[in-house]
Amino acid sequence: MSHEFRPLIEVLRELNALVQIEASGFVFLVTEELHSGIIRLHNGQVKEVTFRMLRNDEAVQGLSMVSTAKLRFQPNDIPSYGNKMALNPASMKWLLGGFEQELAGRSETTAAIAAASARAPAPPPATARVDKRVRDTIEQVAVNYLGPIAGMLCQEAFETRHDPRQVVAHLATYLNSPQESRRFVDDAHKALDMLR
């Protein structure tokens, strides 16, 4: 996965390259707003799309409004057990190449904005570094609550935060209920306390 956000058109081209080689696994997406999605592939076939709590056609529609994203592919040969609700042909067509025309103009605009921001002075580099054991511990706890996308969300959180407790609090915002968020925070803090 690239460590920088790229225009959606480039990310979808990478997805299409995985389809062309008949890959099986999970394509994890995250946007600059830290919205996440997963596209499940089996032998190059798109089996399921989720994005921001939306599924399949609604997820593709939500994804079409994204400007930039990061992608990570996790190979997995677990066979597909079918879809309860398949993507309609229009969604599948857009996802597998129809996006090219729609996103081409948007990509040019994004490139112009990126060039302008590249001329702006860069923020000072962060001086604080978080111990690898602390990062790994938080990620291990996060996997239990967030599933396989936890690694990408943790990486994003640590890129902008250097206090482990702030990272934990940020990750808790991805959970479905206040109770689950509290359990996650408690578990993460207990695991961090055990490192001392």
Side-chain angles (χ1 to χ4, degrees), residues 121-139:
T127 53
R129 288 280 176 233
V130 178
D131 184 307
K132 182 175 177 3
R133 293 179 325 131
V134 170
R135 290 175 74 116
D136 291 346
T137 298
I138 291 173
E139 187 171 334

Side-chain angles (χ1 to χ4, degrees), residues 53-75:
M53 308 295 280
L54 302 171
R55 180 168 247 102
N56 290 335
D57 294 326
E58 292 177 341
V60 172
Q61 185 178 13
L63 191 58
S64 73
M65 295 181 221
V66 169
S67 57
T68 58
K70 292 183 185 183
L71 175 146
R72 183 181 72 177
F73 178 65
Q74 179 70 46

